[in-house]
């Protein structure tokens, strides 16, 4: 399918804020550069509605954008040009097939993101990976809610989780996560297409949710109920300015705060049920 590429020019200080707003709109993928965000959506998307929403966003963030039609066959060339390997401490490295192997990390993940969101470059993914390092993943039952390209689910599998369910509402993400699991020889991840309602199981030791503030707020009660007692919910996709709002809602549901990390205006929070 053809796609539209939206090139947003924005002050670097407001770049993360704009990205947070854009993540609530029907874009399938993002690439970030200094002062610039590339956002992609299918050409069959309701473009007038999308651009009306962009007009409304200008009341909150100052930006300019230009649009370009990208034929489907050019997508791989676009992300290959922009995608560089990611190394998170000496713990995890993420690369594409055309990159050389990363040897100085404990876990290496290979991905081919295509039209799915999540190459691992964003601060929220980096913090999730950093905080996963200290989670009791071995032999655990894990849910990756909003799994994107499957990076966190694959890492959980490499950390010897016993069973991992992963779910994403976007079909390109669902399809790409399956492909990336195969690429990494991971066979303990069951991937679902849909929202949290398609996950019928419960009693998870750990739930990973790197999504956005609104989805997390709407899902806190359901996530609490899907955890076993003293289970861990690790969340990100939350701006630091929204941190207290999310923490207040989490405490009202029954969570206690276990730890926090901050990077580039974003927060990552560990909660215990």
């Amino acid at each position: 399918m053809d796609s539209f590429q939206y090139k947003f020019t924005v002050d670097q200080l407001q770049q993360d804020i704009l990205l947070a707003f854009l993540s609530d709109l029907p874009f399938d993928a993002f690439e970030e550069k200094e002062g610039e965000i590339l956002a992609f959506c299918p050409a069959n998307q309701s473009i007038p509605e999308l651009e009306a929403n962009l007009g409304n966003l200008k009341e909150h963030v100052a930006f300019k954008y230009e649009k370009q039609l990208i034929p489907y066959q050019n997508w791989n060339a676009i992300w290959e040009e922009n995608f560089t390997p990611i190394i998170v401490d000496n713990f995890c490295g993420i690369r594409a097939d055309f990159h050389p192997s990363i040897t100085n990390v404990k876990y290496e993940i290979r991905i081919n993101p295509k039209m799915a969101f999540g190459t691992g470059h964003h601060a929220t993914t980096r913090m999730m990976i950093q905080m996963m390092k200290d989670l009791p993943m071995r032999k655990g039952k894990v849910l990756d809610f909003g799994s994107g390209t499957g990076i966190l689910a694959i890492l959980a599998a490499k950390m010897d989780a016993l069973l991992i369910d992963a779910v994403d509402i976007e079909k390109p993400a669902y399809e790409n996560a399956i492909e990336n699991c195969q690429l990494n020889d991971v066979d303990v991840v069951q991937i679902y297409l849909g929202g949290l309602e398609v996950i019928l199981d419960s009693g998870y030791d750990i739930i990973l949710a790197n999504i956005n503030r609104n989805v997390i707020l709407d899902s806190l009660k359901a996530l609490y109920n899907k955890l076993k007692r003293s289970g861990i919910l690790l969340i990100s996709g939350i701006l630091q300015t929204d941190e207290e709002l999310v923490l207040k809602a989490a405490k009202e549901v029954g969570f206690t705060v276990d730890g926090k990390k901050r990077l580039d205006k974003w927060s990552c929070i560990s909660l215990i049920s």
Side-chain angles (χ1 to χ4, degrees), residues 5 16 87:
Q5 172 190 280
D16 285 338
I87 298 177

Side-chain angles (χ1 to χ4, degrees), residues 112-130:
N112 289 323
K114 297 186 177 177
M115 283 305 295
F117 175 76
T119 58
H121 288 83
H122 198 263
T124 58
T125 308
R126 178 175 292 272
M127 288 189 293
M128 291 286 288
I129 290 172
Q130 288 174 327

Side-chain angles (χ1 to χ4, degrees), residues 10 25 48 61 73 90 94 114 116 126 131 162 165 168-169 176 193 226 239 248 253 272:
V10 61
L25 298 179
V61 185
Q73 63 268 24
N90 62 348
I94 302 166
K114 297 186 177 177
R126 178 175 292 272
M131 293 189 75
L162 186 64
D165 290 329
D168 201 288
I169 200 167
N176 192 224
L193 175 62
K226 287 194 173 295
L239 288 165
K248 181 177 182 293
V253 166
I272 297 180

Side-chain angles (χ1 to χ4, degrees), residues 57-204:
L57 281 186
K58 290 186 176 181
E59 298 177 8
H60 305 280
V61 185
F63 64 88
K64 297 180 180 179
Y65 74 86
E66 54 189 62
K67 180 176 68 176
Q68 177 184 357
L69 181 65
I70 304 294
Y72 176 76
Q73 63 268 24
N74 289 345
W75 168 249
N76 281 349
I78 291 168
W79 77 258
E80 285 180 13
E81 181 181 345
N82 291 279
F83 181 47
T84 55
I86 306 105
I87 298 177
V88 180
D89 306 326
N90 62 348
F91 176 58
C92 180
I94 302 166
R95 68 174 178 91
D97 271 348
F98 53 84
H99 293 134
S101 180
I102 304 171
T103 58
N104 59 338
V105 294
K106 187 172 183 179
Y107 302 108
E108 182 188 55
I109 297 174
R110 291 182 294 158
I111 63 167
N112 289 323
K114 297 186 177 177
M115 283 305 295
F117 175 76
T119 58
H121 288 83
H122 198 263
T124 58
T125 308
R126 178 175 292 272
M127 288 189 293
M128 291 286 288
I129 290 172
Q130 288 174 327
M131 293 189 75
M132 284 176 68
K133 181 179 180 180
D134 298 320
L135 294 185
M137 202 71 69
R138 183 172 173 79
K139 303 296 183 183
K141 181 178 178 181
V142 179
L143 171 63
D144 184 1
F145 175 42
S147 53
T149 53
I151 288 174
L152 300 183
I154 292 167
L155 178 57
K158 289 179 177 286
M159 293 175 70
D160 293 327
L162 186 64
L163 181 151
I164 303 131
D165 290 329
V167 62
D168 201 288
I169 200 167
E170 299 291 344
K171 190 173 182 180
Y174 162 78
E175 294 172 340
N176 192 224
I178 292 173
E179 181 180 344
N180 287 332
C181 284
Q182 294 171 347
L183 188 63
N184 287 273
D185 297 319
V186 164
D187 59 6
V188 294
V189 179
Q190 177 66 50
I191 303 168
Y192 298 86
L193 175 62
L196 192 58
E197 70 280 354
V198 305
I199 301 297
L200 303 181
D201 208 350
S202 60
Y204 292 98

